[in-house]
Amino acid sequence: LCGDLQMQVPFPFSLLCFQVIKCKAAVLWEANKPFSIEEVEVAPPKAHEVRIKIVATGICRSDDHVVTGAIVTSLPIILGHEAAGVVESVGQGVTSVKPGDKVIPLFIPQCGECNSCLSTKGNLCIKNDLCSGTALMPDGTTRFTCKGKAIHHFAGTSTFSEYTVVHESAVAKIDSAAPLEKVCLIGCGFSTGYGAAVQTAKVEPGSTCAIFGLGGVGLSVVMGCKAAGASRIIGIDINSDKFAKAKELGATDCVNPKDFKKPVHEVLTEMTGHGVDYSFEVIGRTETMTAALACCEYNYGVSVIVGVPPAAQNITFDPMLLFTGRTWKGSIFGGWKSKDSVPKLVADYMKKKFVLDPLITHTLPFTKINEGFDLLRTGK
């Protein structure tokens, strides 16, 4: 999940409540092909659903995983899951938001009723579409059509559209003064990285941390480690151009594995003398996941998988890495309970408790979404 690039989506506010809205959307008809800007029909919200006018959306690596086939889902589809917008209309029974409210769609919903929602230990609501993979609304249907064909949803959000429909459990009302072109990053990239450090790993003051991958999410992990009081924060990336921004946000050291002949986990162990207290894999590659585990302190180190794993790949590793006491864990959306936490994170941003501007590298009009993905793929 990247979140270091955003798209502006300018268009007029619609008053066509409970009518079909025609608008622009970026449709992916086939894998490994560019997005096609199409006119789509967006159906009105059904009971407990919300139709949103999207104002700004981020481009994330997870969206690109669908394009490349690393994430397998049904096509054609409207991707996008990191956004902010304004409620246009609501279906029967919706009580948490109303037309005109500023909101952030939630790719991890919060129904408040399932085991994860009721537990203090988890946040992966059973109503998420990442695990079920239906690419449809919870009732098994779609709200999008284009050229007479049904178009699938992505992660229950589909924000690469001027209008989208989400379930009420997948939308959070936020501060009416919040700048949507900034706080859209709280819908995924920032929250995922920052939360992995402060919420999942629970980084402690004075600790040492290593972050594999310095995209938008990795930089957010850096910010989280700094906020938690880590004394040494080591950023790892094969693109040295990312080091300056990483240091600006709190990294104390930066390492390019290409500069060394030995494995990077050995480099990090030598740098720290015993391995790091906490490591984070924010790329989504199996070899860096095992390297991140191996660079942890052998007895009490904690390694967190943040990057989305590629489909149909397994990890082979030496079980002694875990037997000696290391902890290996995963983190989705930073461990935050989405509907509860997103408004609080926006409030913290408004209070200047953290910054978002450095995570935004480019701002493009919606119609240049393919150029945005090119920038993402080239590490820019």
Side-chain angles (χ1 to χ4, degrees):
L1 299 166
C2 185
D4 62 352
L5 195 153
Q6 65 172 238
M7 313 294 298
Q8 284 187 333
V9 191
F11 39 73
F13 184 76
S14 172
L15 299 176
L16 301 176
C17 300
F18 304 111
Q19 295 183 28
V20 171
I21 287 178
K22 292 184 178 182
C23 67
K24 290 179 182 177
V27 178
L28 183 70
W29 294 100
E30 299 178 60
N32 293 301
K33 293 291 180 66
F35 292 94
S36 178
I37 301 296
E38 306 277 7
E39 181 181 82
V40 300
E41 293 84 41
V42 184
K46 294 185 179 181
H48 302 290
E49 294 179 356
V50 180
R51 189 160 59 183
I52 303 168
K53 179 187 77 167
I54 299 297
V55 173
T57 184
I59 288 179
C60 276
R61 181 66 70 177
S62 299
D63 302 306
D64 193 45
H65 284 338
V66 177
V67 178
T68 62
I71 292 178
V72 179
T73 188
S74 300
L75 302 176
I77 194 168
I78 295 174
L79 298 176
H81 62 282
E82 178 188 80
V86 178
V87 174
E88 178 268 340
S89 59
V90 300
Q92 183 179 0
V94 172
T95 58
S96 61
V97 296
K98 65 184 184 304
D101 284 345
K102 284 187 175 181
V103 294
I104 288 178
L106 309 171
F107 74 94
I108 299 297
Q110 186 182 345
C111 72
E113 300 171 352
C114 69
N115 285 347
S116 290
C117 286
L118 293 174
S119 171
T120 59
K121 300 177 181 179
N123 71 322
L124 186 57
C125 175
I126 196 172
K127 290 188 176 180
N128 82 85
D129 191 50
L130 299 178
C131 298
S132 64
T134 65
L136 296 167
M137 294 294 288
D139 69 352
T141 63
T142 178
R143 301 294 167 269
F144 299 116
T145 55
C146 180
K147 300 177 180 177
K149 296 182 179 180
I151 308 296
H152 290 89
H153 293 249
F154 178 63
T157 50
S158 290
T159 62
F160 292 169
S161 174
E162 293 179 333
Y163 287 84
T164 191
V165 178
V166 304
H167 192 270
E168 184 181 13
S169 62
V171 63
K173 180 181 176 180
I174 62 171
D175 187 338
S176 61
L180 300 183
E181 74 281 4
K182 311 288 187 186
V183 299
C184 65
L185 300 186
I186 292 174
C188 178
F190 172 79
S191 304
T192 295
Y194 190 81
V198 304
Q199 185 91 349
T200 304
K202 294 180 170 56
V203 171
E204 299 158 317
S207 58
T208 59
C209 303
I211 297 96
F212 287 71
L214 297 173
V217 181
L219 292 174
S220 298
V221 177
V222 170
M223 294 164 67
C225 292
K226 181 180 180 181
S231 62
R232 194 170 187 187
I233 302 170
I234 307 169
I236 302 102
D237 204 294
I238 58 173
N239 183 354
S240 298
D241 292 342
K242 297 186 177 182
F243 292 169
K245 185 168 287 187
K247 289 183 176 180
E248 173 192 336
L249 292 174
T252 57
D253 308 82
C254 288
V255 172
N256 187 331
K258 290 183 175 181
D259 294 338
F260 300 88
K261 293 183 179 179
K262 62 182 68 176
V264 68
H265 73 271
E266 293 182 10
V267 174
L268 295 168
T269 301
E270 290 179 4
M271 286 176 65
T272 57
H274 50 72
V276 299
D277 298 308
Y278 300 95
S279 69
F280 303 84
E281 201 282 349
V282 204
I283 303 168
R285 298 176 64 89
T286 55
E287 57 266 38
T288 42
M289 291 174 184
T290 52
L293 177 65
C295 80
C296 281
E297 203 281 339
Y298 78 103
N299 179 224
Y300 54 78
V302 176
S303 186
V304 182
I305 294 175
V306 186
V308 178
Q313 286 194 25
N314 296 318
I315 295 179
T316 301
F317 71 100
D318 181 357
M320 188 63 72
L321 290 171
L322 293 178
F323 174 75
T324 55
R326 292 178 180 89
T327 300
W328 210 359
K329 54 198 312 189
S331 177
I332 191 161
F333 194 56
W336 305 108
K337 289 188 182 293
S338 58
K339 209 170 173 74
D340 291 341
S341 300
V342 164
K344 294 176 183 176
L345 287 168
V346 172
D348 284 347
Y349 169 74
M350 299 298 285
K351 294 173 185 173
K352 302 188 184 325
K353 291 187 177 181
F354 56 81
V355 296
L356 293 174
D357 281 27
L359 302 179
I360 301 169
T361 61
H362 298 75
T363 300
L364 302 171
F366 182 46
T367 53
K368 291 188 177 181
I369 189 168
N370 286 308
E371 293 181 27
F373 272 82
D374 289 340
L375 289 165
L376 177 76
R377 292 164 187 146
T378 54
K380 297 178 182 178

